[in-house]
Amino acid sequence: MFSFIFLGFLVGFLVGLTGIGGGALMTPSLIFLGIEPLMAVGTDLLYATVTRIFGVFFHHRKGSIRFDLALRLFAGSLPAILLGSVLLRVIDKSTLNNYLTLLLGVILVVSSFFSLVKGEFHVPIRPRREYLYLLGFIVGLTVQFTSVGAGVIVSFALMNLAKLSPREVVGVTIFYGLPLSFLSALNYAFLGSTNYHLALLLIAGTLPGVYLGTHVNRKVDRDKLKRVINVIILVIGLLTLFQRVI
């Protein structure tokens, strides 16, 4: 019990401190603590939904949310959510548990790479708003099966293609991630793959963690800390893949 509260506190602290790491740290941590992959994803999606409510409220007060971009991303994610709902019901549960860990490892490696090269890697694609629908679909489908991707992949794309300010990127990502994680969590709830008691423990630890991290972030070099966390996520992804392969 206390280990999950502490996990929520630790992840919340890192999110409050750097703005990254929530899903990428929570889902693999739950799996390492013995929660089956399908249950870990469903529980993390519910946990992410509740915590993002506070993030949306905070960023809306600061006026840093571009609702037009966030709604285009979400419109692209809707068919992915429906497709994910069908696949979760059609594919055998044991098969899902076997391959979710593998997919999670791949997403962790890719997302951490995107974060590490952010600002140093420029995609030779002329930005068009239509691409937001495609990006929303890809990220929406990824989140359905791993609970990871909404933050890092979207922020990387918006930073490098849409050329938004960092504050706007965070606002769009959090607002877009809220309905995405909520509807995705419903898919898992209907499947019976959500541990509500565990989610409550994680949330109980996260709220003071985010509060503390937000206040401490003025005293540390956040950019360096972000790189350290992304390296940790990369290592976790590689270990997850290695564990799955052997």
Side-chain angles (χ1 to χ4, degrees), residues 134-234:
L134 177 60
L135 176 63
F137 180 83
I138 295 172
V139 172
L141 198 58
T142 301
V143 168
Q144 294 300 295
F145 294 100
T146 66
S147 78
V148 180
V152 176
I153 297 175
V154 171
S155 63
F156 171 83
L158 293 179
M159 192 78 77
N160 286 275
L161 295 179
K163 307 299 183 184
L164 298 183
S165 69
R167 190 179 71 169
E168 288 179 323
V169 168
V170 175
V172 169
T173 302
I174 290 179
F175 180 73
Y176 158 66
L178 176 56
L180 175 60
S181 60
F182 172 69
L183 293 179
S184 302
L186 285 180
N187 276 339
Y188 282 82
F190 289 140
L191 287 172
S193 296
T194 303
N195 188 323
Y196 297 98
H197 180 252
L198 175 55
L200 195 60
L201 293 175
L202 296 172
I203 293 166
T206 289
L207 296 181
V210 170
Y211 178 82
L212 180 62
T214 302
H215 283 75
V216 173
N217 69 1
R218 301 172 185 174
K219 304 177 182 180
V220 298
D221 189 326
R222 284 176 290 175
D223 290 333
K224 289 183 179 179
L225 192 58
K226 283 183 179 182
R227 294 187 69 86
V228 170
I229 292 176
N230 279 309
V231 170
I232 292 173
I233 293 172
L234 177 61

Side-chain angles (χ1 to χ4, degrees), residues 24-37:
L25 290 172
M26 184 59 75
T27 301
S29 296
L30 290 175
I31 293 174
F32 288 146
L33 288 173
I35 306 300
E36 71 169 24

Side-chain angles (χ1 to χ4, degrees), residues 20 31 34 37 50 74 80 83 99 111 116 132 137 148 199 204 230-231 234:
I20 65 168
I31 293 174
V50 176
F74 182 63
L83 177 60
Y99 286 99
S111 62
L116 289 169
L132 289 172
F137 180 83
V148 180
N230 279 309
V231 170
L234 177 61

Side-chain angles (χ1 to χ4, degrees), residues 59-195:
H59 282 277
H60 180 55
R61 290 184 63 185
K62 291 169 57 178
S64 58
I65 299 178
R66 287 283 304 274
F67 292 100
D68 57 330
L69 301 182
L71 291 175
R72 282 185 171 87
L73 285 167
F74 182 63
S77 294
L78 281 175
I81 294 171
L82 294 174
L83 177 60
S85 176
V86 172
L87 293 177
L88 285 170
R89 286 162 174 76
V90 170
I91 303 175
D92 180 70
K93 186 175 181 180
S94 61
T95 303
L96 280 172
N97 278 321
N98 285 333
Y99 286 99
L100 278 180
T101 306
L102 178 61
L103 180 59
L104 175 63
V106 172
I107 296 300
L108 290 176
V109 171
V110 172
S111 62
S112 60
F113 171 78
F114 279 160
S115 289
L116 289 169
V117 302
K118 185 168 59 179
E120 302 172 11
F121 180 76
H122 300 285
V123 182
I125 300 175
R126 185 177 179 180
R128 295 178 60 182
R129 290 181 181 266
E130 290 80 6
Y131 294 155
L132 289 172
Y133 298 105
L134 177 60
L135 176 63
F137 180 83
I138 295 172
V139 172
L141 198 58
T142 301
V143 168
Q144 294 300 295
F145 294 100
T146 66
S147 78
V148 180
V152 176
I153 297 175
V154 171
S155 63
F156 171 83
L158 293 179
M159 192 78 77
N160 286 275
L161 295 179
K163 307 299 183 184
L164 298 183
S165 69
R167 190 179 71 169
E168 288 179 323
V169 168
V170 175
V172 169
T173 302
I174 290 179
F175 180 73
Y176 158 66
L178 176 56
L180 175 60
S181 60
F182 172 69
L183 293 179
S184 302
L186 285 180
N187 276 339
Y188 282 82
F190 289 140
L191 287 172
S193 296
T194 303
N195 188 323

